[in-house]
Amino acid sequence: MDGPIDQPQNWRTLVYAFGIWLIHFGAAYSGELIFPNQSAARWVAAGATLIALAALFWLWKRGEDHSTLGLLAIGIATTGVIYDALPPLLVW
Amino acid sequence: MIDALWGWPPPVLDPAGPYSERVTILAWVLLAMALVVTLIVVIALWIAVKGPDSLKRKLGGEKTVWIGGIAFPGVVLSVLLVWGLMMTGSLSEPITGKEMRIRVVGEMWWFRVQYLDNQGRVVMDGANEIHIPTNVPVVLELTSADVIHSFWVPHLSGKKDMIPGRVTLLRIEADRPGVFGGVCAEYCGGPHALMGFVTVAHEPEEWKQWAVQRNIALGEAIEPFGSVDVAGALPVVDDDVPPRIPPTPIVGEAARGRALFMSVGCAACHRVAGTEANGLAGPDLTHVGSRRTLGAGILPNHLGTMMGWIGDSQAIKPGIRMPSYDRLPAEDIAAMAMWLEQQK
Amino acid sequence: MNSETGFDPALYDRFPTEKQPDEDVEELNRIWAAPKGWGLLTAVNNNYIGFWYVATSFLFFLLAGILALGMRVQLAAPMQEFLPQDTYNQFFTMHGTVMMFLFAVPAVEAIGVMLLPQMLAARDLPFPRLSAYAFWAYFVGGLAFFCSLFVGLAPDGGWFMYPPLTSETYSPGLNADFWLLGIGFIEISAIAGAVEIIVGVLRTRAPNMTLDRMPMFAWAMLVFAVMIVLAFPAVILCTMLLEIERAFNWPFFDPTRGGDPMLWQHLFWFFGHPEVYIIFLPAAGLMSVMVTSIARTELIGYRLNVLALVATGFISFGVWAHHMFATDMPAVSTGYFSAASMAVSLPAGIQVFCWIATLASGKVQSTTPAHFVIGSIVTFTMGGLTGVMVGLVPFDLQVHDTYFIVAHLHYVLIGGMVFPMFAAFYTWAPMTSSKALSDKLGKWIFWLMFTGMHVTFLPMHLTGFMGMPRRVYTYLPGRGFDVLNLTSTIGSFILGAGILLFLFDLARNFRFSTEESAGNVYRGGTLEWLPSGLYSTRSIPVVHSRQPLWDNPNICDEVEEGRYFLPNAPTGTRETLITSPIRAEPQYVQLMPGPSPWPLAAAVFTAGFFLSLTVQAYMFGIFCGVIAVFSVLRWLWETDRPLPDKKEVDIGGGIMVPVAITGPKGHGWWALNVLMVVLGMIAFMAVFAYLYLYGINPEVWIDPPSLGETALIVGANGVALACTWIGRWILKRRAGGYAHDAPWVFQAIAAVILAGSLYLDMTGWQDIGLRPTESGMGAIVFMLMVLQGQVVIISLIMAAYLGFREARGLLTTPTNVTMDIVARFIAYSAIQGTALTLLPRLFLGG
């Protein structure tokens, strides 16, 4: 029988989750590139973090029966997003 | 091993200032963490391969991955990250403008050192030796004249790259007097291995004396020094006139050495303030006699090494811009070295 | 049960079928026979190419290792004069470059070329001639590059080649150009290999080997190849920029003219850090497979492991600047990269504990592979932990560019890649040799290498704390470095002794053979241990589990008797079965090209092209380039020729599938897509470079040319796009037979229009006074045109090739793979051209 890896919806969850992480990372870092050492960059990062967490929450809600795979992917991506949300909070 | 530990504690674990001190604590914690985790993995492997069956059964399931591979590292990494970020923040506090300013320029393969007043004007030139008072925050303005170099005094702080076209800022502060070695940490071609310098931290009073001897024009820079009143005794010197203790009368061999220095080509690249030697390509030799090292932190400084350096610099540090003056007779080199050693 | 392609899975129940006649085996042998004598050089089969590839990469491992020993002798005591300064600088540059580019990446790719078709029970990789070309380009180019060392022209700017040290001003010799040359070859062969592996893993698996049943190595190679496709464009672009700066004085990295040296570091590390995982992931895949066979049990956490591979692939693209903490980055930015560096450690932890749990759940045999695997886990963990340490910014600023990093990276790479590779040598040598390697000697080799490795690199952590920077040809006495360095030197010779003993084992036991193999010595459960010849397995089995050989003890005999798919050669030529990407349902039979001298010729002349450019023999370079292009076209000429009398064939069990198809189901379509992603990434990186330089030096930016001109260029590109579509439409109208009404002309018109609009773009900028040599803006704007120029030239060549094929009556209707590919490539060129024109003309002008 099919394993969870063979089901495209799990793939989508996986790729979306890490994609969200990547976009969040890119947005936060670009903010800092464009506004180095300015508070605008922190706002960009904060906004990106809220959107990313909302997107991950949506991703979690939208599938009823996530496989462990999908859940862990969302978990790691969420950890990654939270990690990347820390620098603008902690580095002053 | 005794010999290896001869240098113990290693500079990274032997902080001499507030910036490196915090990193040292972090370093010890990280080392302990690495040791513990390595032990856990080794023990787990031992159980997996040779251990009793009861333990093996406990280890041989997906639960091991969830606990050992996900939960445990997740907690450890999160704690470390938060700590590391907070420390990054505290180490990169913004410049207040109250700090002492020194510009250090990386050049192939030495460090140009310029003491600045609070307007950013150069009040004294030096090379390969940085003198700072203890307990005074110092901002180093780092840049490069050619390729990328990196400035590192492990006792005082982490490193910062010196990048052509940019000025990077590095804070250092010493909380005890001492001589702390530094190196160029970014590969910069040729004799990169032999590109070093020393940082000398003095008690404030001592630093003041040192500065007075060298006549730094700190008139404008009184304020930034805050509690350290180093500038009271210093005369204000006009920008255009290089500050200089009047040269001591020179006689005999040293006088001949001085004349040779001007005539054989040294003066084209080196400057000795108060003389007609005004070259800017090489290190400023105004106070070379008082420096601790020669050749950018690689040789102790005395008459013998000075002679060796002039006569055969290419053998000591191959590839540098300064030619070996090996065609000059030994007594000429000795005369120049003697005069240079008098430039305290 | 649902299906991906409409294939009825119930058909799998027909297998195993009846025993098939033995004559078919002789037919297979005849079809797949390798050329004899010197002709063997024209072989394209993965059994040969894969073996040569592995052997060549191992040769580079030895050569770079010898350089390392030379460096260790020099550093054994302070102020030694064993290696003069400039030689040492060349040695360490070459050691790093050769190990990273000529050994590690090609080695894992080579193991992939060798093992993947067997593991997936495919007859060969989907593009055998491309494999051959990739190998020969690497072989010729790599050796030529290495030989620069013997004439003192080897690069000496470090494997990271930071400008301005490597720019014309500070490195006037040819040395740096040789580096760029050597990397050029590896870029070509890595991209070619990635295309091959992505299509191979997704489309040539044995029927019913769903993604969930794939060997972990195939998973790792898939992630590896995708990462190459995304990461290598950055290094392709930055090597182009540096070479153009050096040769034509375009100031990309020169701060005095509006360039910036940090641009190089961003581009280089955007490639450079994923590169580390590009090396590690395939080795981790091998580890997972070997752990399974060592413990004689299923891999615990298979799916977690897959997740870990994919997660690593993603997150590794967010860590590049942790090599740049000491540069002028804002503190918050360093924090982002620190955070991502912590996050990327999580998947590594998952993999390590999957291996430990698997070992614990089975019964570990004390074999050589087991030794190397366990040694690898310990060593890699230690390297990973120091990696976590340097991921924290304040600590990194202390140890960055010191021997602590030297220790860290060798722990990671030796533990994470070299030890698994040796384990793999012992595990899979019996597959390709008539005699297994000595298990007894192997353990000695392991202990020598393991001891040597730790004696060499463990003290280096302390050496770094002592303050010894990297890349130093000597050090001063009295700094506490002496004993530590001497210890490292002794350790390096112990490590070297282990490798020497391995060479002895090879010489004594390894006998390359495609006819007989020593068999499944370590009793692996995956398909590469099926009995095989040059045609791989006699028949391609239906896969029902992750370890088919363990679960069906009769499978070897059944496969050998031809009781599964493709027991014969229904088309009478080389072929393989193409299956669907997720569930591996049989889709069609792909015809495969056989031996050919043209890939070899193309590789040799590609090498000639680059070498001539390096030594500035431009005319000869162009000559070589033309021959190289001709050779490529010549090798393609024989492909894409459907058999008119065979539209469908029986692939066993009475199942009929088509022979060769076009469109989204075809393997060529997939390969072209991968290639377009590569080109798109190069363009994307150039866009980043444009925006980055603007951000750093906006003062050199001037107003763009008029909007009317811009509109004209975009309009022309639109017409070109339409032409590509018309060409395909004409072909489609004419169902059956061959096309003669010149649909190719429309492709040619499209390509010519693109050339024209590029010319317009260029003159437009020249008219307003922009010069590539004068400012960072000029350099990067003209660079965008250089990139477009490349795809336009390829478009023109493709259109001409299409014309030739039509003239020879080779364009089948209503669809044709060649037409498909040409039209889609030219369409891509039109879109890229539009994007790259619009960026500087609309965005951020003056």
Side-chain angles (χ1 to χ4, degrees):
Chain A
M1 275 309 287
D2 289 355
I5 294 178
D6 297 332
Q7 283 150 14
Q9 74 265 27
N10 285 315
W11 272 109
R12 258 172 248 144
T13 306
L14 201 88
V15 172
Y16 285 174
F18 290 120
I20 291 168
W21 173 82
L22 200 62
I23 291 168
H24 171 259
F25 172 83
Y29 173 58
S30 306
E32 192 66 32
L33 265 188
I34 297 166
F35 309 106
N37 300 316
Q38 294 165 34
S39 57
R42 290 180 206 271
W43 287 110
V44 171
T49 304
L50 287 179
I51 295 171
L53 289 177
L56 285 166
F57 182 72
W58 166 80
L59 196 60
W60 175 58
K61 273 290 170 195
R62 90 184 234 288
E64 291 96 50
D65 53 336
H66 282 298
S67 64
T68 325
L69 194 75
L71 280 178
L72 187 59
I74 295 175
I76 293 182
T78 308
T79 312
V81 168
I82 292 173
Y83 277 10
D84 275 330
L86 292 175
L89 289 176
L90 297 176
V91 180
W92 283 95
Chain B
M1 271 324 263
I2 300 295
D3 229 332
L5 300 179
W6 177 84
W8 190 267
V12 169
L13 300 177
D14 181 29
Y19 298 111
S20 49
E21 194 170 349
R22 277 171 273 183
V23 183
T24 302
I25 299 167
L26 179 66
W28 279 114
V29 172
L30 288 174
L31 284 172
M33 180 276 305
L35 195 66
V36 169
V37 178
T38 306
L39 277 177
I40 292 174
V41 168
V42 169
I43 291 169
L45 272 173
W46 180 82
I47 293 172
V49 176
K50 299 216 154 129
D53 280 348
S54 56
L55 283 177
K56 275 186 71 162
R57 259 195 303 281
K58 276 193 188 139
L59 198 61
E62 213 168 285
K63 216 167 132 193
T64 305
V65 185
W66 284 95
I67 296 171
I70 298 171
F72 172 67
V75 171
V76 173
L77 292 171
S78 302
V79 171
L80 288 179
L81 178 64
V82 169
W83 189 22
L85 288 175
M86 290 170 74
M87 191 177 290
T88 306
S90 75
L91 290 177
S92 58
E93 50 200 78
I95 308 297
T96 61
K98 298 271 185 205
E99 298 87 350
M100 182 176 170
R101 294 171 67 177
I102 302 176
R103 180 187 300 149
V104 186
V105 186
E107 308 205 8
M108 286 166 129
W109 290 268
W110 59 284
F111 294 87
R112 187 188 295 276
V113 180
Q114 298 179 318
Y115 298 82
L116 308 181
D117 66 11
N118 61 351
Q119 306 292 311
R121 289 172 299 201
V122 179
V123 290
M124 193 186 81
D125 273 306
N128 305 324
E129 201 162 291
I130 301 169
H131 292 262
I132 57 171
T134 53
N135 297 313
V136 171
V138 179
V139 169
L140 300 175
E141 303 181 4
L142 307 173
T143 188
S144 163
D146 35 54
V147 302
I148 299 173
H149 303 276
S150 190
F151 180 97
W152 186 35
V153 189
H155 285 285
L156 297 181
S157 170
K159 47 188 80 64
K160 192 73 138 187
D161 287 354
M162 312 168 103
I163 304 166
R166 296 187 182 207
V167 176
T168 52
L169 301 178
L170 177 68
R171 293 167 147 271
I172 56 170
E173 184 176 336
D175 56 13
R176 60 175 156 99
V179 179
F180 308 113
V183 288
C184 169
E186 184 63 81
Y187 176 65
C188 52
H192 156 68
L194 299 177
M195 179 172 170
F197 63 98
V198 290
T199 306
V200 188
H202 304 270
E203 294 287 4
E205 274 310 304
E206 197 187 297
W207 190 84
K208 198 154 105 184
Q209 276 180 6
W210 175 87
V212 170
Q213 272 175 17
R214 271 151 197 79
N215 214 355
I216 294 184
L218 289 171
E220 304 268 352
I222 296 170
E223 283 308 311
F225 287 92
S227 59
V228 190
D229 180 22
V230 288
L234 297 176
V236 180
V237 180
D238 187 68
D239 280 347
D240 302 328
V241 182
R244 175 72 177 133
I245 304 163
T248 45
I250 44 170
V251 289
E253 274 301 277
R256 199 169 73 83
R258 183 186 192 282
L260 277 164
F261 186 88
M262 304 304 161
S263 64
V264 298
C266 309
C269 294
H270 294 286
R271 172 171 171 271
V272 180
T275 75
E276 58 272 41
N278 223 354
L280 293 175
D284 187 293
L285 298 181
T286 307
H287 303 289
V288 67
S290 68
R291 287 198 200 131
R292 281 156 181 78
T293 66
L294 287 181
I298 60 171
L299 293 174
N301 184 9
H302 52 71
L303 191 65
T305 51
M306 182 67 92
M307 284 174 64
W309 181 255
I310 299 170
D312 209 1
S313 58
Q314 288 294 337
I316 299 167
K317 190 169 169 179
I320 58 164
R321 303 276 153 83
M322 175 169 158
S324 296
Y325 282 83
D326 44 7
R327 283 166 306 166
L328 293 182
E331 55 272 25
D332 285 4
I333 291 174
M336 280 197 286
M338 191 180 295
W339 178 68
L340 283 170
E341 289 295 330
Q342 286 175 3
Q343 306 303 308
K344 297 288 185 191
Chain C
M1 201 164 200
N2 43 9
S3 163
E4 191 184 355
T5 61
F7 180 85
D8 179 10
L11 291 173
Y12 290 138
D13 297 340
R14 296 190 187 172
F15 299 95
T17 55
E18 291 305 301
K19 186 176 181 314
Q20 298 294 312
D22 285 339
E23 300 85 76
D24 288 348
V25 179
E26 274 154 40
E27 169 87 350
L28 278 172
N29 269 325
R30 186 186 58 74
I31 290 171
W32 289 87
K36 296 272 177 285
W38 285 103
L40 192 58
L41 292 179
T42 65
V44 296
N45 182 261
N46 83 300
N47 284 293
Y48 289 103
I49 297 293
F51 173 68
W52 295 339
Y53 217 153
V54 172
T56 309
S57 63
F58 190 68
L59 171 71
F60 283 118
F61 172 71
L62 296 178
L63 291 172
I66 292 169
L67 298 183
L69 289 181
M71 293 192 287
R72 279 320 320 167
V73 173
Q74 164 69 8
L75 293 179
M79 298 306 278
Q80 287 230 89
E81 290 181 5
F82 177 72
L83 292 178
Q85 181 195 93
D86 50 347
T87 311
Y88 185 93
N89 290 346
Q90 293 184 13
F91 267 40
F92 86 73
T93 301
M94 287 298 275
H95 172 74
T97 308
V98 173
M99 281 293 191
M100 293 300 267
F101 289 107
L102 296 183
F103 160 62
V105 177
V108 289
E109 200 156 317
I111 295 175
V113 170
M114 187 145 160
L115 282 185
L116 273 181
Q118 263 77 351
M119 267 189 180
L120 306 174
R123 291 257 186 261
D124 201 337
L125 281 169
F127 308 100
R129 289 189 178 178
L130 186 63
S131 300
Y133 173 71
F135 164 71
W136 286 113
Y138 157 68
F139 179 81
V140 177
L143 282 181
F145 170 57
F146 196 86
C147 288
S148 65
L149 201 56
F150 301 119
V151 288
L153 281 178
D156 55 2
W159 85 280
F160 45 91
M161 292 289 282
Y162 282 178
L165 178 61
T166 51
S167 62
E168 191 65 17
T169 319
Y170 300 104
S171 297
L174 285 177
N175 308 48
D177 301 300
F178 269 104
W179 186 87
L180 294 161
L181 164 85
I183 301 315
F185 287 112
I186 248 33
E187 287 160 358
I188 291 174
S189 78
I191 297 281
V195 171
E196 187 89 274
I197 285 163
I198 291 176
V199 181
V201 169
L202 287 178
R203 304 303 308 279
T204 66
R205 301 199 301 274
N208 210 29
M209 184 193 272
T210 65
L211 288 179
D212 207 25
R213 297 185 187 124
M214 233 158 63
M216 195 54 74
F217 179 61
W219 266 112
M221 289 309 283
L222 181 63
V223 178
F224 155 91
V226 172
M227 287 180 72
I228 284 197
V229 164
L230 297 177
F232 264 72
V235 75
I236 292 176
L237 181 71
C238 72
T239 48
M240 282 170 74
L241 296 185
L242 185 55
E243 190 52 53
I244 290 175
E245 171 167 316
R246 290 178 56 82
F248 305 113
N249 193 25
W250 294 17
F252 300 106
F253 308 114
D254 178 359
T256 61
R257 284 182 285 168
D260 188 53
M262 301 315 291
L263 174 62
W264 169 273
Q265 299 194 15
H266 278 288
L267 290 175
F268 185 80
W269 291 118
F270 186 82
F271 147 80
H273 202 87
E275 156 92 345
V276 178
Y277 292 96
I278 284 173
I279 292 167
F280 164 66
L281 289 185
L286 290 173
M287 287 281 285
S288 297
V289 175
M290 290 185 294
V291 158
T292 316
S293 73
I294 288 165
R296 298 280 150 82
T297 175
E298 286 283 345
L299 184 70
I300 304 265
Y302 174 92
R303 285 161 198 161
L304 297 180
N305 219 309
V306 171
L307 178 70
L309 292 172
V310 176
T312 309
F314 269 93
I315 302 177
S316 66
F317 282 97
V319 298
W320 78 88
H322 71 201
H323 297 261
M324 299 162 61
F325 284 158
T327 64
D328 195 24
M329 283 169 72
V332 178
S333 289
T334 64
Y336 290 133
F337 291 98
S338 179
S341 306
M342 294 296 121
V344 83
S345 311
L346 282 172
I350 295 178
Q351 296 206 58
V352 165
F353 279 88
C354 280
W355 298 331
I356 292 176
T358 309
L359 290 173
S361 75
K363 183 114 191 65
V364 177
Q365 317 290 314
S366 173
T367 59
T368 298
H371 279 71
F372 273 108
V373 161
I374 290 164
S376 158
I377 296 177
V378 173
T379 311
F380 175 72
T381 303
M382 293 171 76
L385 288 164
T386 51
V388 169
M389 295 168 79
V390 296
L392 295 174
V393 182
F395 182 76
D396 179 72
L397 291 178
Q398 276 288 14
V399 297
H400 175 69
D401 271 341
T402 69
Y403 262 78
F404 188 91
I405 301 294
V406 178
H408 159 68
L409 73 93
H410 283 94
Y411 266 83
V412 177
L413 290 175
I414 296 181
M417 191 268 169
V418 176
F419 284 171
M421 183 185 75
F422 274 84
F425 282 162
Y426 277 86
T427 306
W428 281 286
M431 195 182 90
T432 191
S433 159
S434 54
K435 230 168 126 191
L437 296 176
S438 159
D439 198 68
K440 200 171 151 203
L441 215 50
K443 285 173 198 159
W444 275 96
I445 294 164
F446 166 75
W447 283 114
L448 279 172
M449 286 180 69
F450 186 79
T451 313
M453 191 272 155
H454 285 269
V455 172
T456 309
F457 296 106
L458 196 61
M460 283 188 188
H461 294 103
L462 188 54
T463 322
F465 276 5
M466 289 283 189
M468 179 156 157
R470 295 168 75 175
R471 300 152 188 156
V472 292
Y473 78 98
T474 190
Y475 53 91
L476 299 168
R479 308 254 163 134
F481 302 161
D482 306 20
V483 173
L484 292 170
N485 272 294
L486 185 61
T487 312
S488 291
T489 301
I490 292 168
S492 69
F493 277 87
I494 300 174
L495 181 57
I499 292 165
L500 199 63
L501 196 57
F502 176 71
L503 289 179
F504 173 72
D505 195 6
L506 276 185
R508 218 183 51 160
N509 291 319
F510 190 82
R511 298 288 173 269
F512 176 72
S513 162
T514 54
E515 256 107 75
E516 47 177 339
S517 73
N520 195 350
V521 178
Y522 297 105
R523 281 186 275 163
T526 36
L527 297 180
E528 74 275 22
W529 298 112
L530 291 172
S532 67
L534 280 173
Y535 47 83
S536 192
T537 57
R538 154 96 196 264
S539 61
I540 302 173
V542 180
V543 174
H544 293 290
S545 68
R546 290 182 195 142
Q547 312 287 342
L549 267 65
W550 291 352
D551 300 327
N552 177 4
N554 301 324
I555 196 168
C556 289
D557 294 336
E558 290 168 5
V559 160
E560 193 66 343
E561 290 166 3
R563 298 173 65 186
Y564 287 101
F565 285 97
L566 279 186
N568 48 14
T571 63
T573 59
R574 294 191 183 200
E575 69 211 345
T576 195
L577 192 59
I578 299 288
T579 52
S580 65
I582 297 177
R583 287 160 194 272
E585 293 162 0
Q587 283 188 299
Y588 67 98
V589 169
Q590 181 207 340
L591 303 179
M592 300 264 233
S596 163
W598 295 107
L600 174 58
V604 169
F605 284 99
T606 308
F609 172 69
F610 280 115
L611 271 170
S612 319
L613 290 193
T614 305
V615 299
Q616 290 166 4
Y618 292 113
M619 284 321 290
F620 187 67
I622 290 168
F623 169 74
C624 288
V626 170
I627 298 194
V629 170
F630 175 78
S631 305
V632 172
L633 296 179
R634 188 65 188 75
W635 108 43
L636 290 171
W637 188 253
E638 292 151 26
T639 61
D640 185 27
R641 299 194 180 190
L643 307 168
D645 53 328
K646 280 188 178 152
K647 294 276 178 233
E648 282 204 330
V649 289
D650 178 359
I651 52 170
I655 298 169
M656 299 294 283
V657 295
V659 180
I661 53 176
T662 58
K665 282 184 196 158
H667 61 288
W669 185 88
W670 284 66
L672 181 67
N673 280 2
V674 175
L675 188 67
M676 291 196 304
V677 171
V678 172
L679 293 171
M681 275 302 287
I682 296 178
F684 177 74
M685 287 288 136
V687 169
F688 169 80
Y690 175 85
L691 295 175
Y692 184 86
L693 285 182
Y694 173 77
I696 301 293
N697 294 308
E699 67 279 0
V700 300
W701 251 247
I702 59 169
D703 282 326
S706 74
L707 274 178
E709 189 182 277
T710 308
L712 184 63
I713 294 169
V714 172
N717 286 350
V719 173
L721 195 60
C723 282
T724 63
W725 184 80
I726 294 172
R728 278 164 87 180
W729 178 73
I730 291 179
L731 193 69
K732 212 176 241 166
R733 232 167 27 125
R734 204 46 71 106
Y738 292 96
H740 292 291
D741 42 4
W744 75 276
V745 171
F746 284 91
Q747 307 302 343
I749 293 172
V752 170
I753 292 176
L754 289 180
S757 76
L758 179 64
Y759 179 76
L760 214 59
D761 194 12
M762 186 180 78
T763 47
W765 284 103
Q766 281 173 337
D767 288 347
I768 61 161
L770 193 71
R771 296 286 174 275
T773 50
E774 276 165 19
S775 73
M777 181 196 185
I780 192 69
V781 168
F782 279 88
M783 188 63 209
L784 296 177
M785 291 182 239
V786 168
L787 293 179
Q788 178 61 12
Q790 286 179 333
V791 294
V792 167
I793 289 173
I794 298 174
S795 295
L796 288 167
I797 294 173
M798 280 179 138
Y801 174 74
L802 191 69
F804 273 110
R805 283 189 80 94
E806 186 178 313
R808 288 300 178 90
L810 289 170
L811 280 197
T812 51
T813 57
T815 53
N816 176 278
V817 175
T818 307
M819 174 60 126
D820 223 34
I821 286 174
V822 172
R824 280 159 43 80
F825 186 86
I826 298 177
Y828 168 84
S829 309
I831 293 165
Q832 175 183 305
T834 308
L836 295 186
T837 301
L838 286 179
L839 175 75
R841 281 169 178 259
L842 293 187
F843 195 47
L844 303 172

